[in-house]
Amino acid sequence: MILEKFNLRGKIALVTGANTGLGQGICVALAEAGAMVAGAARRGCEETASLIAPGQFHAIPADLLESNAHETIVAETLARYGRIDILVNNAGIIRRNDIADFTEQDWDDVMQVNLKSLFLLSQAAARQMIARQSGGKIINIASLLSFQGGIRVPSYAASKSGVRGLTMEMANELAPHGIQVNAVAPGYMVTNNTEQLRADPLRSRQILERIPAGRWGVPADIAGACVFLASAASDYVTGITLPVDGGWLGR
Ligand code: NAD
């Protein structure tokens, strides 16, 4: 039955950046679809936990700017649940500045959280999926700036284009192991990530006018895409970056 293919009952999911924004929405969606969810985040995950049935969510404090954070996150998930079936690399940061003033620190931090830690977590999750011969799902949260250049966000654009390329690369290598690797590219969503844009009346209006759907997105808007890519319904889908953008890219 087709609906059964979307069911995540019995699956173990690990989601980074679980405390707020899109990551919180993804945790709630995967849990509603039946998965047990380990949520890693820099800040407390009490709010996310409060939105999920008791016992179905486990918070893991971790700072992805620290070099071995990926090992701690994977080890704690395995200690708690014994395996990882679904990894969602959602944690991400953005730094805005003109190119002339952009600092090396802002370059390094964004690349570390958005791209390097995404690779290291995927590698660690894939290793245990391969060892268990279980297959699995890796979902990376990309961006419209995986397709476009943006402005005043050089490290973000580079990291998110990198996410799209790496998604295809990992999909190719891991397909023989039954592991599908895909990305979701959210459009302009109402979260902390876009706070500065939304606070700027001109930029905010310009962005809204260009979105065919006529509104900014909210975390629940990417839930369906994430559940689909986490489920057996997408077993023949790999290497794609799926925009969930209210029509932005088609315009
Ligand atoms: P957000 O700022 O609300 O959330 C970012 C998440 O990343 C938080 O949970 C935060 O704890 C986590 N994080 C940041 N730095 C971390 C670190 N050093 N260690 C561990 N966790 C860390 O923003 P969001 O919009 O929910 O962002 C989620 C993802 O979606 C990001 O990858 C972002 O680039 C992407 N995205 C967002 C939009 C948007 O319009 N909001 C658009 C495209 C892509």
Side-chain angles (χ1 to χ4, degrees):
M1 293 292 281
I2 184 61
L3 277 183
E4 216 21 61
K5 293 215 165 210
F6 289 86
N7 200 322
L8 301 182
R9 203 179 317 115
K11 300 290 183 189
I12 307 299
L14 168 59
V15 180
T16 63
N19 59 306
T20 186
L22 303 185
Q24 181 177 82
I26 294 165
C27 289
V28 171
L30 297 181
E32 283 178 1
M36 304 292 281
V37 181
R42 232 177 358 170
R43 308 238 157 76
C45 283
E46 295 77 13
E47 190 180 281
T48 305
S50 75
L51 300 171
I52 294 175
Q56 220 185 329
F57 179 79
H58 176 67
I60 303 174
D63 184 346
L64 291 168
L65 282 171
E66 286 170 13
S67 58
N68 291 326
H70 62 284
E71 287 169 3
T72 314
I73 293 169
V74 169
E76 194 170 329
T77 309
L78 294 178
R80 173 81 182 201
Y81 293 122
R83 61 178 205 281
I84 299 168
D85 301 303
I86 301 157
L87 168 66
V88 184
N89 285 303
N90 162 78
I93 54 175
I94 192 163
R95 301 273 165 82
R96 300 177 197 275
N97 213 337
D98 297 336
I99 286 182
D101 300 322
F102 209 80
T103 66
E104 189 171 347
Q105 194 69 54
D106 281 345
W107 179 270
D108 287 346
D109 287 354
V110 171
M111 294 306 261
Q112 166 73 31
V113 176
N114 294 11
L115 191 55
K116 185 173 176 182
S117 75
L118 176 149
F119 173 67
L120 293 172
L121 279 163
S122 301
Q123 180 185 49
R127 277 183 184 141
Q128 59 86 41
M129 289 169 186
I130 292 168
R132 285 190 299 112
Q133 298 186 316
S134 60
K137 303 280 183 178
I138 298 175
I139 302 167
N140 299 319
I141 302 304
S143 166
L144 295 177
L145 299 197
S146 303
F147 300 93
Q148 302 179 313
I151 191 158
R152 302 184 74 245
V153 286
S155 56
Y156 189 80
S159 70
K160 293 296 186 177
S161 288
V163 167
R164 181 165 165 238
L166 184 58
T167 297
M168 292 188 280
E169 198 279 348
M170 293 195 293
N172 296 336
E173 271 197 58
L174 297 174
H177 300 285
I179 301 167
Q180 289 82 48
V181 187
N182 292 291
V184 172
Y188 286 88
M189 319 293 277
V190 180
T191 69
N192 300 331
N193 178 288
T194 53
E195 205 171 348
Q196 280 185 38
L197 287 182
R198 286 179 290 111
D200 177 338
L202 178 65
R203 286 284 284 133
S204 173
R205 183 173 54 77
Q206 288 170 335
I207 289 168
L208 184 61
E209 281 172 358
R210 196 191 180 286
I211 303 173
R215 65 171 177 85
W216 287 59
V218 293
D221 285 318
I222 68 162
C226 291
V227 169
F228 168 61
L229 294 175
S231 75
S234 62
D235 278 355
Y236 200 59
V237 178
T238 199
I240 64 157
T241 295
L242 174 62
V244 180
D245 64 353
W248 175 280
L249 281 178
R251 179 135 179 194

